[in-house]
Amino acid sequence: MLSRIAESLFWIGRYVERADDTARILDAHLQYLLEDPYLEEEAACRALLAVMGATPPSEETEATRTTVLDVLAYDRHAPGSIAGALAASRENARRAREVLSSELWECLNTTWNALPSRIRSSSPHEYFAWVRERAAIVGGITDAATRRDETLQFLLLGRSIERADMTARLVTSRTLAGGAGPGWMTLLRSCGAHEAFLRTYRGRDSETLAAEFLLLDRLFPRSVLFSLEQAERCLTRLAPIDGRGLREEDARKVLGRVRSRLEYQPLLSLLSSLTEEMVAVQEGCSDASDAIRLRYFPSGVADDWIGDRL
Amino acid sequence: MADLFDGYPEGVAWDEMIEPGHTVRAPYQHVHRTMGRLNADELRVRADALARSYLAQGVTFDVGGEERPFPLDSVPRVIDADEWGVLAPGIAQRVRALEALLADAYGPQQAIADGVLPRSLVVSSAHFARAARGIEPPNGVRVHVGGIDVIRDSAGGWRVLEDNVRVPSGVSYVLSNRRAMAQSFPELFARMRIRPVADYPRRLLQALHAAAPSGVDEPVVVVLTPGVYNSAYFEHSLLARLMGVELVEGRDLFCAGGKVYMRTTEGRRRVDVIYRRVDDDFIDPVVFRPDSLLGCPGLLSAARAGSVTIANAVGNGVADDKLTYTYLPDLIRYYLGEEPLLNNVDTWRLEEPESLNEVLDRLDELVVKPVDGSGGKGIIIGPAASREELDLARAHLRADPRGWIAQPVVQLSTVPTLAGDALRPRHVDLRPFAVNDGDDVWVLPGGLTRVALAEGQLVVNSSQGGGSKDTWVLGEMRRGARPPLTTEGGPPAPSSADGDTPAGVQQDANPTDTEMREQNQQQQQTPSSGEPPEPPTRRFPAWRSSC
């Protein structure tokens, strides 16, 4: 497969997942902002922007729900916003048009076409619901109509890495505004994990258990651990490990390091420095992404040849 | 475009939003301003969105085989902090008195011995379950959940209309109404301090855990439902889902050796607490109706053996009998030594001959209700009834004076409600929910406001075509003055350990995306003059090399 195509697939996976997860996080937080009368809106919005890796507005301007929505939901040019991610995923799909199934391409294209009117006419909650739905369709088509070859592995790889990263952000957002962020239950609900969690732990309402579930559950597909393992599995499918073990620059080294740090650290110590740990996960995902690019999509880096016309 | 409030009539009833003279009461200022800014179409769009979200979630009820969304009116009912400060303790007091009454009625019957309550009243109550005598609830709680219906009369005072301590329903609408309203009217939630209701399932589960038989560490709680055809099935499933417990039907349970089990794929599993939403009559065919398929044979003996807790307890109906209701102010004084915080509606006890005669005379101006009815069934409203209906009612009253009570017609207060293209006053009541965990009676801030959608209609029950309104209790605290968080059994709040600023790594993007944009611009550019642009030197994408 062409490196360029593979790269597009990888990023389609990441962007769609990013749009999905951002919609979930925003939905939970905005609802929470509305329902909790005691919350400091300004601080909460700034913190949310920070968690999502966006630059908060300068000190003079006030950060409100509208700011958050503009930056993280409606901006069509920033890759960190929902609309931006959807636009970018469609752009990447256009480049990889020939290996994508028509269904997948049409789905991404329709989504992109509908963006302006959606942004204009629906309430934030409806917009988020729509984004989740579109992402689910992408997931379904990927699952049902993609050959289990490299195409799928790259899509899945992108999705898993993004998911680990976003769930880490979601967990960090628990600490918004000095511990007054939405409770674990809201966060669980936002990633569709609430019912699964309740069933797993029979309604025991413990913060530790909820954190453990989002970080370490082996069976829930949105937990950080599950996503990291999935990414590692994809990499192994793409390049089985030979007798000499992993090469120095292999992305699995980075992912494995992050994973084992979560997996083998005592839970309480993990929780007591949650923000740092989650930043480490995000950095790990970013490093892994770089390592994958070096290995599989070298075009952008290696071909520094100068003006040599054939 | 007409103002939605144009031509809003001043009625005889107390209007919750608009005082006589068309001034808006303080707690409703924001609501009035926001609603006033909308026109009928805009409000209709939001109302449709509310209905759609209910259809999608399945918050519906059945009308002749077709699923209709449960009508939620767009105009909320608002209660300010001071008023709630009177109402909530009043509700809690009432629940404590009902608890004491039940403990007494199924125990020493001291109140009867002391002449506060007639023995005949207790033993003649249709819901006095002899089989429940001797069942001692583990933490002494029989009313785990209570729903006390209150109304506001035309003078603006709160009065209790009836108590519900059997299986009060409607709390699911409180939860889903709030969710839907927050999504439809974000601007109001942003401006007002509305006390959240989402805590209810947690409180309920906590109370059910507290009620578990002693010696059980991690009690298994289940919600017992009559099944999917029950009109409140949505509520049963919602509560089970939000509490993370199993939703069972009678056939999923069985009793063996004085213990209750449920059938699971991994064999039988002990059940410790049953939050039942099945009526007494159907809960145990051994003791009650032998033809019942909704319950589980042997439940009551298991409860008597103390191996399972049934919540709410069996036999609670004796406390919400409408004749018992008339004694409640006395019972509050007797059991609690307190003055009642909330008044009853004046009620005639028809067993007293002179009351009966007076009522029979004035039947056309009174309301008569069956003592054990619920859901607005059997109520006869004198002024609205026909001559035949009144005659029939007279015959009923003469035949069974114990079975009926009479009350004056109370003009329930009104709240503006969307009717056609305008807002019009419609009558409402309020059912606050109280959860008793044995230490404390917690009242859910707000409750279910039911509204009669037809003009002048005084029966607000949903089975009689009523709708509901979201009920907002305003918080007394300012933004920012958040009460300290209590973390129970959890780790130290994770944030405080590592500073106040949560951090995130900047999100990266496909580097090709940005290059493509530059390149796109280059492709669009036409050389301005003779000099061709320098060919790009760095990061030249591979596929371009072929041209």
Side-chain angles (χ1 to χ4, degrees):
Chain A
M1 176 180 288
L2 282 178
S3 289
R4 177 178 57 79
I5 300 286
E7 183 166 28
S8 284
L9 290 172
F10 175 75
W11 281 98
I12 292 172
R14 285 198 69 169
Y15 284 136
V16 172
E17 182 66 27
R18 183 177 296 174
D20 185 9
D21 293 347
T22 310
R24 289 166 184 278
I25 294 176
L26 290 186
D27 203 8
H29 277 270
L30 296 182
Q31 181 88 29
Y32 181 73
L33 266 177
L34 288 179
E35 284 188 11
D36 187 335
Y38 308 116
L39 202 63
E40 199 76 66
E41 180 174 343
E42 163 94 25
C45 289
R46 274 179 192 281
L48 182 55
L49 287 169
V51 167
M52 300 304 290
T55 336
S58 59
E59 286 298 324
E60 298 88 62
T61 35
E62 206 191 354
T64 59
R65 271 199 301 281
T66 324
T67 325
V68 172
L69 281 174
D70 285 343
V71 175
L72 293 178
Y74 299 145
D75 185 345
R76 253 178 287 172
H77 300 292
S81 100
I82 296 173
L86 289 176
S89 71
R90 185 258 185 185
E91 229 18 68
N92 278 283
R94 206 148 69 111
R95 270 175 249 151
R97 179 70 192 81
E98 70 274 22
V99 297
L100 293 185
S101 68
S102 296
E103 278 179 63
L104 186 53
W105 155 250
E106 275 171 27
C107 173
L108 290 169
N109 196 37
T110 334
T111 309
W112 180 75
N113 279 324
L115 258 181
S117 70
R118 283 286 167 176
I119 292 177
R120 231 183 3 257
S121 66
S122 42
S123 74
H125 174 71
E126 285 167 339
Y127 176 65
F128 297 141
W130 173 74
V131 171
R132 285 206 305 268
E133 206 171 290
R134 297 309 293 181
I137 296 177
V138 172
I141 295 176
T142 312
D143 182 52
T146 311
R147 203 153 170 266
R148 273 18 186 190
D149 56 7
E150 285 167 306
T151 318
L152 183 78
Q153 298 309 328
F154 278 110
L155 279 170
L156 263 187
L157 180 60
R159 183 166 89 189
S160 312
I161 288 186
E162 186 70 25
R163 193 173 275 178
D165 174 283
M166 290 305 265
T167 306
R169 289 178 201 271
L170 181 78
V171 169
T172 321
S173 73
R174 169 67 186 96
T175 65
L176 283 192
W184 285 107
M185 294 308 129
T186 316
L187 297 186
L188 286 168
R189 199 171 297 136
S190 75
C191 56
H194 191 226
E195 279 103 348
F197 168 75
L198 289 174
R199 270 200 303 281
T200 312
Y201 293 102
R202 310 236 136 257
R204 264 180 292 152
D205 189 23
S206 149
E207 308 243 310
T208 325
L209 291 179
E212 189 178 1
F213 190 80
L214 275 180
L215 293 173
L216 299 175
D217 193 85
R218 285 192 170 277
L219 302 178
F220 186 68
R222 280 186 185 275
S223 80
V224 178
L225 187 70
F226 188 101
S227 308
L228 290 173
E229 283 184 333
Q230 173 75 43
E232 287 179 77
R233 271 198 298 279
C234 291
L235 285 167
T236 305
R237 287 266 170 73
L238 288 169
I241 307 170
D242 62 19
R244 288 179 306 166
L246 294 173
R247 286 193 292 172
E248 201 44 55
E249 67 278 10
D250 198 300
R252 271 167 290 185
K253 281 211 159 180
V254 188
L255 290 175
R257 211 156 49 228
V258 176
R259 173 176 55 79
S260 39
R261 188 162 154 183
L262 290 179
E263 203 174 357
Y264 298 113
Q265 199 176 149
L267 184 63
L268 280 178
S269 107
L270 194 63
L271 289 178
S272 65
S273 56
L274 195 59
T275 308
E276 283 102 49
E277 293 297 336
M278 290 304 104
V279 167
V281 171
Q282 292 164 40
E283 279 166 354
C285 289
S286 180
D287 291 349
S289 185
D290 285 341
I292 291 165
R293 179 184 315 133
L294 282 174
R295 166 94 189 260
Y296 293 103
F297 328 128
S299 61
V301 200
D303 300 348
D304 266 357
W305 44 286
I306 297 170
D308 186 5
R309 308 238 166 100
L310 293 170
Chain B
M1 142 179 44
D3 189 324
L4 283 163
F5 286 99
D6 273 356
Y8 191 81
E10 275 179 28
V12 281
W14 173 279
D15 195 86
E16 300 272 340
M17 186 189 280
I18 294 169
E19 281 178 63
H22 287 278
T23 25
V24 179
R25 295 183 201 275
Y28 282 91
Q29 292 289 348
H30 285 304
V31 175
H32 184 267
R33 211 171 305 141
T34 306
M35 298 289 167
R37 240 182 265 134
L38 301 171
N39 63 34
D41 289 339
E42 287 162 340
L43 191 55
R44 181 59 67 191
V45 167
R46 300 218 194 180
D48 287 348
L50 283 179
R52 260 205 318 280
S53 108
Y54 269 25
L55 265 184
Q57 292 176 54
V59 192
T60 54
F61 68 104
D62 235 274
V63 179
E66 192 194 346
E67 296 219 329
R68 298 263 183 80
F70 181 69
L72 164 61
D73 187 70
S74 310
V75 185
R77 194 240 195 107
V78 187
I79 299 173
D80 70 12
D82 294 341
E83 200 150 28
W84 186 250
V86 178
L87 201 48
I91 302 290
Q93 178 193 51
R94 198 113 182 153
V95 171
R96 282 184 286 127
L98 290 164
E99 281 286 5
L101 166 64
L102 284 168
D104 195 18
Y106 290 107
Q109 304 202 327
Q110 198 59 43
I112 295 174
D114 290 346
V116 186
L117 200 65
R119 175 179 303 276
S120 64
L121 183 148
V122 173
V123 295
S124 66
S125 170
H127 295 287
F128 178 67
R130 281 164 187 79
R133 271 206 89 149
I135 298 181
E136 264 314 305
N139 64 342
V141 177
R142 286 184 171 83
V143 182
H144 302 84
V145 182
I148 311 294
D149 289 359
V150 293
I151 55 167
R152 204 204 275 271
D153 57 24
S154 46
W158 292 100
R159 284 167 185 274
V160 176
L161 191 62
E162 62 181 60
D163 308 295
N164 294 282
V165 294
R166 281 174 277 168
V167 279
S169 66
V171 75
S172 57
Y173 299 125
V174 178
L175 301 176
S176 46
N177 284 357
R178 178 59 54 84
R179 190 136 276 247
M181 285 295 281
Q183 284 157 6
S184 295
F185 294 93
E187 66 271 36
L188 282 173
F189 279 83
R191 227 166 286 136
M192 301 169 69
R193 297 186 298 274
I194 302 161
R195 293 183 55 187
V197 294
D199 219 15
Y200 182 83
R202 200 178 60 78
R203 294 274 189 168
L204 176 59
L205 186 64
Q206 203 184 331
L208 294 172
H209 277 177
S214 55
V216 180
D217 273 346
E218 289 190 4
V220 173
V221 177
V222 298
V223 178
L224 175 63
T225 172
V228 288
Y229 298 110
N230 188 274
S231 58
Y233 180 74
F234 167 74
E235 172 153 320
H236 309 159
S237 63
L238 184 84
L239 289 176
R241 198 152 52 80
L242 292 182
M243 293 194 291
V245 303
E246 230 73 49
L247 178 66
V248 301
E249 296 181 22
R251 56 188 169 169
D252 298 326
L253 297 178
F254 66 95
C255 299
K259 299 185 175 67
V260 182
Y261 298 91
M262 57 182 163
R263 302 173 219 272
T264 76
T265 50
E266 286 139 25
R268 64 184 196 177
R269 182 141 189 260
R270 221 6 231 286
V271 172
D272 304 300
V273 182
I274 301 176
Y275 178 53
R276 53 90 176 222
R277 302 298 300 257
V278 174
D279 289 340
D280 280 1
D281 276 353
F282 295 95
I283 199 165
D284 185 348
V286 175
V287 183
F288 299 105
R289 286 178 58 157
D291 59 341
S292 165
L293 300 172
L294 303 177
C296 167
L299 271 190
L300 242 63
S301 46
R304 181 167 296 108
S307 68
V308 71
T309 306
I310 299 176
N312 290 355
V314 171
N316 276 7
V318 69
D320 62 16
D321 185 301
K322 290 204 178 61
L323 199 54
T324 314
Y325 159 89
T326 62
Y327 289 91
L328 217 69
D330 295 334
L331 291 170
I332 290 175
R333 291 185 199 103
Y334 173 74
Y335 286 121
L336 308 178
E338 298 169 10
E339 273 305 302
L341 298 171
L342 297 174
N343 291 325
N344 274 3
V345 176
D346 307 326
T347 308
W348 282 272
R349 297 171 188 152
L350 303 180
E351 279 176 313
E352 298 160 11
E354 58 275 32
S355 307
L356 181 61
N357 285 334
E358 186 187 349
V359 168
L360 289 174
D361 278 352
R362 297 174 49 195
L363 200 59
D364 55 345
E365 49 188 285
L366 300 177
V367 181
V368 289
K369 302 176 179 174
V371 291
D372 58 349
S374 64
K377 276 193 291 259
I379 293 183
I380 295 153
I381 297 175
S386 67
R387 176 161 289 279
E388 292 77 50
E389 283 172 324
L390 288 180
D391 288 340
L392 192 64
R394 282 198 185 91
H396 282 312
L397 298 195
R398 278 205 193 87
D400 179 19
R402 165 68 178 91
W404 298 82
I405 53 155
Q407 292 173 338
V409 176
V410 182
Q411 282 295 333
L412 309 185
S413 60
T414 56
V415 180
T417 300
L418 187 62
D421 282 344
L423 295 173
R424 287 293 170 258
R426 292 290 181 265
H427 295 292
V428 296
D429 75 347
L430 175 66
R431 174 178 289 182
F433 290 90
V435 175
N436 186 358
D437 64 6
D439 298 325
D440 182 34
V441 178
W442 176 77
V443 185
L444 174 70
L448 182 65
T449 293
R450 293 178 298 181
V451 53
L453 295 176
E455 191 172 355
Q457 162 90 272
L458 284 172
V459 179
V460 295
N461 209 281
S462 53
S463 45
Q464 312 262 336
S468 73
K469 282 172 172 293
D470 195 12
T471 312
W472 297 354
V473 174
L474 301 183
E476 57 277 275
M477 257 169 291
R478 309 197 145 273
R479 262 179 197 262
R482 155 175 275 279
L485 282 180
T486 49
T487 40
E488 291 151 27
S495 62
S496 44
D498 40 49
D500 276 338
T501 43
V505 177
Q506 193 176 6
Q507 296 186 342
D508 41 8
N510 187 351
T512 326
D513 289 351
T514 34
E515 281 161 37
M516 293 302 278
R517 214 165 292 140
E518 286 160 22
Q519 200 192 344
N520 191 26
Q521 280 161 4
Q522 283 176 2
Q523 283 178 353
Q524 311 273 322
Q525 270 170 11
T526 42
S528 51
S529 56
E531 207 145 315
E534 279 291 302
T537 51
R538 286 186 57 253
R539 297 185 162 194
F540 205 68
W543 58 275
R544 278 276 287 166
S545 56
S546 57
C547 12

